[in-house]
Amino acid sequence: VEEGEGSGRRRSTSAVRCLQERASDPIATGERGPVEEVPFDRLVDAASLSLMAIKRSREEKYERESNEHELNTFHKKRIGALEVNQAGDQKRNDPDGTMATAMAIDEDLHSRQLAVYGRDTMRKMASAHVLVSGLRGLGVEIAKNLVLAGVRAVTLMDDSPVEAADLSSQFYFKDSDIGEPRARSCAAKLQELNPAVKVSVAPSPSAEECTFLSAYNVVVCTDCPLDRAKAYDSFCHAHQPPIAFIRADTRGLFAQVFCDFGPDFVVNDVDGEEPQVGIVSSISNSGPALVTCVEEERLEFQDGELVQFREVEGMSELNDGKPRRVKNVKAYSFELEEDTTNLKKYISGGLVTKVKEPKTLSFRPLADCMADPGDFLLCDFAKLERPALLHVAFSALDEFVKRNGAMPRPGKTSDQDDFVKICHEVNASLSQQSKGGFQKQELDEEVLKVFAAVSSGDLSPMATFVGGIVAQEALKACSGKFHPIFQFFYFDSAESLMEVPSPEDCQPTGSRYDGQIAVFGQKFQQKLEQLNAFVVGAGALGCEFLKLLAMMGVSCGKDGQLSVTDDDTIEKSNLSRQFLFRQNDIGRSKSEVAGRAAQGMNPALKLNSLQNRVCPETEDVFNDSFWEGLDVVINALDNVKARLYVDMRCVYFAKPLLESGTLGPKCNTQVVVPGLTENYGASRDPPEKQAPMCTIHSFPHNIDHCLAWARSEFEGHVEKNPAEVNAYLDDPNAYSSNALKQADGQTKEQLEQVVDALGKSKCQTFSECVVWARRVFDEYFYNRVSQLVYTFPEDAKTSNGSPFWSPPKRFPRAIKFDCKDPAHMMFVRSASILRAQVYRIQLPDWCSDEQQLQQAADSYKTPEFQPRSDVKIETDPKATSRVSSSLDDSSVVENLLKQLEPLGGELDAKFRLEPITFEKDDDTNHHMELITSMANLRARCYSIQEVDKLQAKLIAGRIIPAIATSTAVATGLVCLELLKVIGGAKVEAYRNTFGNLSLPLFAMAEPIPPKVFKYKDMSWSLWDRWIIEGVDLTVQGLLDWFTAKGLTPYSISAGPSLVWNSLFPKHKERLGKPVLEVVQTFAKLEIPADRKHFDLVVAVEDDDGEDIDIPLVSVKFK
């Protein structure tokens, strides 16, 4: 052993000792049953094995042994594997991370998580061993998130028997588990989440024992008494290297989190954001030097930060990789704290990138922090004093339990009074011990009494919210990625409790909901059970929501109904965060599988699983009666368009909507309550910035541009062009007729592709596909680049005399094909295979033989390029199409159609191409291989840094970064708002939240009320709809209805059609007719059979002739 504790000892001796300890522990080596006795010589043989070989063997076993039955035998088989970390800190055994580096990451499974963490962080996480102590709702939530994240091992510690009330939040317990040890009862289910993570069970030690903690990198304690937590933390803090310690608890609607990662914890990346890159346009020879950047994007550098330069021409001394400090940062310029007077003169180009500096944090032990907690992490600025109050309350709760042997009892005012007295004692004691570090608090006794009243409660939303935060803190401790909580975080959702239930109402009933009844009472529980709720989406958010609703008992009563819909199917990449799915569920309906899993957690759940998208086309499924019967809608969607549609329906039917979303470590929640808050669509995010068309096609200056181009060309070759060919072959006459009508530049280009696909580029053998790929290579990376350089030489000038090739433009250089270059052959191989698939050509065996493929590629003789002077290359950044129309387009289209006639006539009547739809998550289909090679070759032409296939997939596949922890945080918060909705809370009780687990940051605020319109004695908002009764209501009667309100109607529309307007004399004939007849006759309005009304948009004026926006008008005719 070369470094750390135990240095100098023989590795085999240390390993044998660890294995002996491991073999003597029946809990560690097997979940149940006898443990095979391991002879000493087998241990020595095992210790002499290579660590790398063992890890490869371990990973193969994990893939094979993922079900519950094999979990028990799995740990016995592992005795021969070298478990150094089980008895010694992994950091000690692997100081340079070589073991972690050797671990393979399943990039298909973890692609969304890799987009957040990156490979290095994932490898660090994959080498960590975490202990989770306490396996009620909070503990299992933490463990679930850690297993999904892919740490090396999670050990569970909780010998306490399962109680009925545990089922309020512990989603892996069943009635049959009552009386069994908690840790053992959920280990197998946790193992199923990720076979690559070892989940084991350890016995609870004696109260004084701490040395066992040496086996772990991170120790997470829940339901741990303060004195024991102090002892554990003291040991972890003093350990070399330090062991990260986290203590967390939820008590009813209140929660605490404490973190201690040691005296010198290094945060390598405090926020997880990609460092900004600026494009340099000038650098002065002065001291300090003034650096000016292209005005493409505002600089986000801060004074005092470090930056690095590269690709600077002229002042090349700045390309030395040395970080330089900046000052006087403006929108597009900054100064260097450096004198560049004697450096070479700047010529052009250059990129400047922010350097992320590591940050060292000095954590203090829990024992020291109790009296001097430092600054608390705030989350709700309406409760600035609440964290200090809760610091006292949680300390007092430990003291109460120590004195009474139990939590304060629900509904017992005597317990509440005793608790408040203890709070005053603790408050005075902490203030005295702190010597000014903790000021004596003004205690809000009403809040403290609520705290005591609900402290024995156990709520699934609280466990989910806090469990997401704590799991993320544990991952920070493993990896140094993101800034940890420093050091206390207190949270409460006391607003979720409208009123404390009566003593009789909150007494335990012996049911699975007792943890929730202790907080809200039996009557409230019955309300939840009778809810008619609708969850839209069954992905990551949807899985968490279904779990939460099942635990809360929502829609579990006789008249309750929970509908969930999702038209998507399960993919492998879903498994890393959509925790209700398993490997054997891939390809099946998300809503069905998730619904069945949720019912497994609570068999009483009344569930209706649907596979329909919620959109205008499915209003026959989600009809008026469906929406009218709902009590609440919960969105679990991943796109704005669908969110806006659901929001529109909720506004129309006046239904509460709970909205949420995640983006990597960030999350947001929004509560929409009819009449109280604005709706989701009331505010919109600004549109994403798009690169100009000319930049993508001719002047890329970053890898994103290259990948956007590659994705576009890929889809053209394998999807759009084949589909266009099939459209022609399906009906040549109709296709030709339509082409002649259009006869524009775009039609001309499409026809050219069809002629080429059926003529010159038609392939009948795989060898012809290889030749086609070689020809395309030359066209993309030699001919087009050569033509661009011919049109705009390196010394070209713009109309105002400035250099044409000035930043951000990058001067390109053509590439000649080289079969020895792996990137060139990757392009040829993937392009050839996909071309063969498009033309339905069987792939020969030699298509994967690199040597034969090289020979076939080399057989193509590249014709000499001849530049043309008549080529127009678009340079206008405002242009939206690179194909322009001209006067002779019609004649060109006619000529192309004439060329098509004989080509189509030569084909078999059944001949069709096979369009291929882009699929990013299948590494065997060559899609990302082709896109990556195309993008990197283009980047090489423009001297842009190339990327690997994973990074290409993230960008070109437009993969949304996602992790399980932020999903848990968002859904937990949403369900706390659900409790307020059911309780009929006032607007000031609701909270919209933005969270960022990387900082960490939680910003909560009251929702914005809806905009209210007023006229005379009337007022209305978006939530109002004016309903007019009348089967035989005439148009004149409708006008009179408005006139009586002092409004002058001048126009009536139904859908897109105008049915009456005061300016049209002929419309007077309609005044005496029933409105229903008018809208059906003139607007052709089709009213569904189950609908009892139709809607009108009425335009009105006030007495002064000014337009007034009024609500939608519904006329009931049934």
Side-chain angles (χ1 to χ4, degrees):
V1 179
E2 296 171 357
E3 293 184 39
E5 184 181 346
S7 60
R9 287 204 293 259
R10 291 176 57 83
R11 291 189 178 95
S12 59
T13 304
S14 300
V16 167
R17 178 176 52 80
C18 298
L19 285 162
Q20 285 176 314
E21 293 174 4
R22 176 79 172 150
S24 64
D25 181 1
I27 303 298
T29 54
E31 290 297 317
R32 292 182 175 86
V35 181
E36 176 187 1
E37 186 176 24
V38 183
F40 182 80
D41 57 348
R42 273 178 58 191
L43 293 174
V44 175
D45 290 340
S48 66
L49 291 174
S50 160
L51 284 174
M52 299 307 172
I54 294 168
K55 286 194 175 294
R56 287 195 297 270
S57 168
R58 179 185 305 160
E59 290 164 4
E60 292 171 359
K61 289 180 180 178
Y62 272 135
E63 290 181 355
R64 296 195 303 269
E65 305 172 342
S66 60
N67 60 48
E68 183 175 353
H69 171 72
E70 290 177 320
L71 174 68
N72 299 329
T73 60
F74 179 70
H75 294 153
K76 298 176 187 177
K77 295 178 183 178
R78 295 171 60 87
I79 293 297
L82 187 58
E83 284 288 353
V84 176
N85 260 48
Q86 186 62 27
D89 196 304
Q90 188 270 342
K91 300 174 189 173
R92 197 176 347 128
N93 298 303
D94 185 29
D96 59 359
T98 52
M99 286 166 53
T101 303
M103 290 184 175
I105 299 172
D106 189 335
E107 294 185 354
D108 287 342
L109 175 65
H110 291 293
S111 59
R112 277 64 176 171
Q113 186 169 293
L114 278 163
V116 179
Y117 296 129
R119 286 195 182 93
D120 289 344
T121 297
M122 287 283 291
R123 290 190 181 109
K124 290 177 182 176
M125 287 159 44
S127 68
H129 191 171
V130 183
L131 171 69
V132 178
S133 174
L135 270 299
R136 295 199 305 152
L138 177 58
V140 76
E141 186 68 37
I142 296 166
K144 176 207 72 173
N145 291 327
L146 291 172
V147 172
L148 289 173
V151 298
R152 183 174 69 87
V154 174
T155 296
L156 312 175
M157 189 173 75
D158 192 339
D159 293 337
S160 300
V162 176
E163 300 174 0
D166 292 342
L167 276 66
S168 288
S169 61
Q170 224 287 15
F171 45 86
Y172 283 146
F173 289 165
K174 297 182 178 180
D175 290 334
S176 58
D177 294 318
I178 294 175
E180 296 293 321
R182 287 182 180 136
R184 287 177 182 246
S185 298
C186 60
K189 289 292 186 181
L190 287 166
Q191 182 67 78
E192 289 177 6
L193 293 173
N194 190 347
V197 176
K198 181 196 169 187
V199 178
S200 60
V201 176
S204 299
S206 62
E208 299 78 19
E209 176 63 29
C210 290
T211 56
F212 74 97
L213 299 174
S214 297
Y216 309 103
N217 303 101
V218 183
V219 173
V220 181
C221 289
T222 69
D223 296 321
C224 182
L226 180 59
D227 290 341
R228 182 175 295 185
K230 287 180 180 178
Y232 284 176
D233 177 56
S234 178
F235 178 88
C236 292
H237 190 89
H239 192 274
Q240 290 300 322
I243 301 166
F245 176 82
I246 303 172
R247 183 192 186 211
D249 288 296
T250 61
R251 303 298 179 199
L253 291 164
F254 298 83
Q256 68 168 344
V257 178
F258 169 80
C259 296
D260 175 10
F261 295 173
D264 296 296
F265 181 77
V266 178
V267 184
N268 298 309
D269 184 352
V270 296
D271 60 10
E273 300 293 338
E274 283 294 319
Q276 188 187 21
V277 179
I279 303 172
V280 178
S281 60
S282 69
I283 306 175
S284 67
N285 287 90
S286 60
L290 176 65
V291 180
T292 305
C293 293
V294 173
E295 295 185 8
E296 183 179 67
E297 186 176 352
R298 293 177 63 90
L299 295 175
E300 296 177 3
F301 303 157
Q302 302 293 324
D303 287 0
E305 290 184 336
L306 295 174
V307 298
Q308 281 181 325
F309 289 88
R310 56 187 169 95
E311 301 182 18
V312 175
E313 295 183 26
M315 200 177 287
S316 56
E317 296 93 335
L318 296 182
N319 297 328
D320 57 6
K322 172 185 172 183
R324 291 171 165 82
R325 208 162 293 280
V326 302
K327 63 179 183 179
N328 296 331
V329 177
K330 304 292 191 298
Y332 304 104
S333 67
F334 58 88
E335 291 181 348
L336 290 177
E337 293 183 357
E338 184 172 340
D339 191 338
T340 59
T341 304
N342 298 322
L343 301 186
K344 298 174 187 175
K345 186 178 180 180
Y346 172 84
I347 297 176
S348 68
L351 300 174
V352 57
T353 306
K354 176 183 174 180
V355 176
K356 305 191 87 166
E357 299 180 76
K359 180 179 181 180
T360 301
L361 298 173
S362 297
F363 287 85
R364 294 178 298 131
L366 177 60
D368 295 348
C369 290
M370 289 305 300
D372 186 9
D375 294 332
F376 300 108
L377 174 62
L378 292 173
C379 62
D380 190 339
F381 290 96
K383 306 175 184 177
L384 291 176
E385 307 301 325
R386 189 62 59 86
L389 178 68
L390 296 184
H391 185 68
V392 172
F394 272 98
S395 300
L397 186 64
D398 277 288
E399 183 62 27
F400 184 97
V401 174
K402 188 186 298 185
R403 295 182 188 180
N404 298 278
M407 292 281 185
R409 291 164 293 180
K412 294 292 183 180
T413 56
S414 58
D415 283 3
Q416 297 171 24
D417 293 338
D418 290 345
F419 175 76
V420 171
K421 290 177 184 178
I422 295 175
C423 285
H424 283 286
E425 295 173 15
V426 169
N427 187 29
S429 175
L430 290 176
S431 178
Q432 185 177 2
Q433 295 172 34
S434 70
K435 298 178 181 179
F438 182 75
Q439 298 296 324
K440 190 174 181 180
Q441 301 298 306
E442 292 291 333
L443 300 184
D444 187 332
E445 294 190 0
E446 291 304 314
V447 173
L448 293 176
K449 288 180 179 179
V450 172
F451 183 100
V454 305
S455 60
S456 64
D458 187 13
L459 304 179
S460 186
M462 289 291 292
T464 301
F465 169 64
V466 179
I469 293 173
V470 173
Q472 190 65 62
E473 294 304 304
L475 296 174
K476 294 174 185 179
C478 300
S479 64
K481 181 87 168 182
F482 303 153
H483 197 293
I485 293 174
F486 191 76
Q487 294 186 253
F488 280 102
F489 172 61
Y490 290 101
F491 171 80
D492 76 275
S493 183
E495 306 82 15
S496 295
L497 185 64
M498 299 302 103
E499 60 179 352
V500 177
S502 67
E504 298 77 18
D505 195 31
C506 60
Q507 295 308 305
T509 63
S511 79
R512 65 178 298 139
Y513 307 120
D514 277 356
Q516 195 159 264
I517 289 172
V519 179
F520 295 101
Q522 299 175 34
K523 293 178 182 176
F524 189 87
Q525 183 62 43
Q526 291 167 6
K527 283 186 180 180
L528 292 174
E529 293 176 21
Q530 303 308 320
L531 282 182
N532 192 342
F534 185 28
V535 176
V536 190
L541 291 167
C543 284
E544 287 287 345
F545 281 131
L546 290 175
K547 175 258 292 184
L548 280 159
L549 298 176
M551 292 297 97
M552 295 165 68
V554 170
S555 306
C556 292
K558 178 182 177 182
D559 298 321
Q561 176 76 60
L562 174 60
S563 298
V564 58
T565 189
D566 197 314
D567 67 339
D568 201 4
T569 55
I570 299 165
E571 300 174 355
K572 183 179 181 180
S573 62
N574 300 148
L575 305 183
S576 66
R577 62 198 188 286
Q578 299 177 20
F579 83 108
L580 298 183
F581 306 145
R582 301 292 180 268
Q583 184 78 27
N584 58 1
D585 293 324
I586 292 175
R588 301 170 70 181
S589 163
K590 283 186 175 182
S591 59
E592 284 189 359
V593 174
R596 187 177 65 251
Q599 286 179 314
M601 294 175 176
N602 187 347
L605 182 64
K606 304 294 190 300
L607 193 74
N608 178 28
S609 295
L610 303 167
Q611 291 81 50
N612 305 94
R613 181 172 298 184
V614 183
C615 59
E617 290 73 29
T618 57
E619 289 185 5
D620 58 329
V621 178
F622 306 107
N623 53 27
D624 289 8
S625 59
F626 175 85
W627 286 99
E628 288 166 355
L630 295 176
D631 296 308
V632 66
V633 179
I634 302 174
N635 263 353
L637 293 162
D638 60 0
N639 67 91
V640 173
K641 182 179 179 182
R643 285 185 170 105
L644 288 171
Y645 176 78
V646 174
D647 175 63
M648 179 186 71
R649 302 300 280 171
C650 287
V651 169
Y652 186 85
F653 291 101
K655 299 300 177 182
L657 171 65
L658 298 170
E659 176 60 64
S660 58
T662 68
L663 180 66
K666 305 182 184 75
C667 65
N668 72 283
T669 67
Q670 181 180 355
V671 57
V672 178
V673 183
L676 292 184
T677 73
E678 69 176 8
N679 64 312
Y680 171 79
S683 59
R684 304 285 182 91
D685 292 331
E688 292 185 14
K689 186 177 180 181
Q690 299 290 332
M693 181 276 302
C694 64
T695 299
I696 298 296
H697 288 281
S698 300
F699 308 108
H701 54 80
N702 61 43
I703 194 64
D704 290 38
H705 298 155
C706 299
L707 284 162
W709 169 83
R711 170 80 183 265
S712 174
E713 295 298 312
F714 170 91
E715 290 177 341
H717 282 302
V718 305
E719 183 177 11
K720 294 179 181 177
N721 293 346
E724 198 70 24
V725 168
N726 290 347
Y728 170 75
L729 295 175
D730 288 342
D731 193 339
N733 293 331
Y735 185 93
S736 300
S737 176
N738 187 58
L740 290 170
K741 288 179 181 178
Q742 300 290 335
D744 55 11
Q746 186 175 356
T747 304
K748 179 180 69 175
E749 184 183 42
Q750 289 173 346
L751 273 172
E752 288 172 345
Q753 297 294 340
V754 174
V755 171
D756 183 64
L758 295 178
K760 179 182 177 182
S761 296
K762 181 185 174 186
C763 297
Q764 295 178 297
T765 66
F766 185 74
S767 296
E768 291 178 354
C769 294
V770 176
V771 171
W772 172 84
R774 274 286 289 107
R775 193 165 67 246
V776 172
F777 180 99
D778 288 344
E779 175 64 21
Y780 280 153
F781 310 115
Y782 190 84
N783 296 353
R784 290 190 185 180
V785 175
S786 298
Q787 181 64 56
L788 180 62
V789 171
Y790 174 82
T791 305
F792 301 110
E794 193 167 7
D795 58 357
K797 304 289 183 183
T798 64
S799 57
N800 61 11
S802 58
F804 178 83
W805 293 103
S806 59
K809 291 188 180 74
R810 302 172 73 94
F811 185 75
R813 286 171 173 78
I815 296 176
K816 287 191 175 181
F817 180 79
D818 180 2
C819 67
K820 302 299 182 183
D821 191 311
H824 294 203
M825 287 308 301
M826 180 191 287
F827 173 87
V828 169
R829 179 176 58 254
S830 54
S832 302
I833 291 173
L834 289 169
R835 188 70 170 181
Q837 291 173 359
V838 166
Y839 279 84
R840 304 173 189 264
I841 297 170
Q842 185 173 355
L843 296 177
D845 294 338
W846 61 269
C847 72
S848 56
D849 186 305
E850 195 71 13
Q851 188 173 358
Q852 291 194 52
L853 205 59
Q854 287 179 2
Q855 292 175 356
D858 258 358
S859 67
Y860 174 74
K861 302 304 178 185
T862 305
E864 184 178 349
F865 171 70
Q866 298 294 330
R868 293 167 49 193
S869 58
D870 60 341
V871 173
K872 183 183 184 302
I873 298 175
E874 185 61 71
T875 60
D876 183 2
K878 296 180 180 179
T880 57
S881 173
R882 63 190 178 93
V883 181
S884 57
S885 299
S886 61
L887 295 174
D888 62 345
D889 282 344
S890 296
S891 59
V892 173
V893 167
E894 287 183 19
N895 185 47
L896 289 169
L897 290 171
K898 289 178 182 178
Q899 294 178 45
L900 264 180
E901 288 181 14
L903 295 175
E906 297 171 359
L907 299 173
D908 184 277
K910 296 182 179 179
F911 177 85
R912 294 293 186 276
L913 300 186
E914 184 69 39
I916 300 174
T917 303
F918 174 60
E919 173 50 62
K920 59 185 176 292
D921 288 321
D922 181 0
D923 276 350
T924 66
N925 63 14
H926 303 283
H927 294 191
M928 282 312 308
E929 189 176 316
L930 178 55
I931 289 175
T932 303
S933 61
M934 289 173 70
N936 281 337
L937 289 167
R938 187 168 177 83
R940 196 174 296 181
C941 290
Y942 287 87
S943 302
I944 295 170
Q945 190 170 345
E946 299 174 29
V947 293
D948 62 14
K949 190 162 72 170
L950 172 63
Q951 192 63 25
K953 179 196 287 190
L954 298 178
I955 300 171
R958 303 178 188 120
I959 288 177
I960 304 299
I963 50 179
T965 50
S966 59
T967 302
V969 168
T971 53
L973 288 172
V974 165
C975 286
L976 289 173
E977 298 304 307
L978 171 63
L979 295 170
K980 300 174 188 177
V981 170
I982 304 309
K986 296 180 180 179
V987 66
E988 56 267 22
Y990 293 104
R991 293 290 184 271
N992 290 340
T993 302
F994 170 78
N996 187 339
L997 293 176
S998 65
L999 298 177
L1001 167 71
F1002 301 100
M1004 297 181 173
E1006 292 179 18
I1008 299 172
K1011 183 179 179 181
V1012 176
F1013 301 88
K1014 293 184 178 181
Y1015 178 70
K1016 294 186 176 181
D1017 59 345
M1018 296 184 293
S1019 63
W1020 61 85
S1021 72
L1022 177 79
W1023 291 102
D1024 290 292
R1025 183 156 49 111
W1026 287 352
I1027 299 175
I1028 304 175
E1029 303 275 353
V1031 177
D1032 300 320
L1033 179 70
T1034 63
V1035 174
Q1036 184 62 57
L1038 178 62
L1039 300 180
D1040 294 341
W1041 189 89
F1042 283 97
T1043 303
K1045 293 182 176 291
L1047 298 169
T1048 305
Y1050 62 84
S1051 179
I1052 302 173
S1053 300
S1057 302
L1058 183 68
V1059 295
W1060 178 85
N1061 190 286
S1062 61
L1063 295 177
F1064 300 136
K1066 286 190 176 182
H1067 284 191
K1068 290 182 181 180
E1069 300 172 1
R1070 304 176 183 178
L1071 292 175
K1073 295 181 179 180
V1075 181
L1076 177 61
E1077 178 186 333
V1078 171
V1079 297
Q1080 289 180 324
T1081 303
F1082 300 102
K1084 308 299 182 185
L1085 187 67
E1086 295 183 5
I1087 303 173
D1090 63 325
R1091 184 164 295 173
K1092 301 176 182 179
H1093 68 275
F1094 56 90
D1095 299 320
L1096 300 173
V1097 175
V1098 182
V1100 301
E1101 296 175 337
D1102 61 15
D1103 294 338
D1104 299 323
E1106 297 293 331
D1107 282 349
I1108 298 179
D1109 289 329
I1110 64 170
L1112 188 69
V1113 176
S1114 292
V1115 178
K1116 292 189 70 173
F1117 63 94
K1118 287 186 181 179

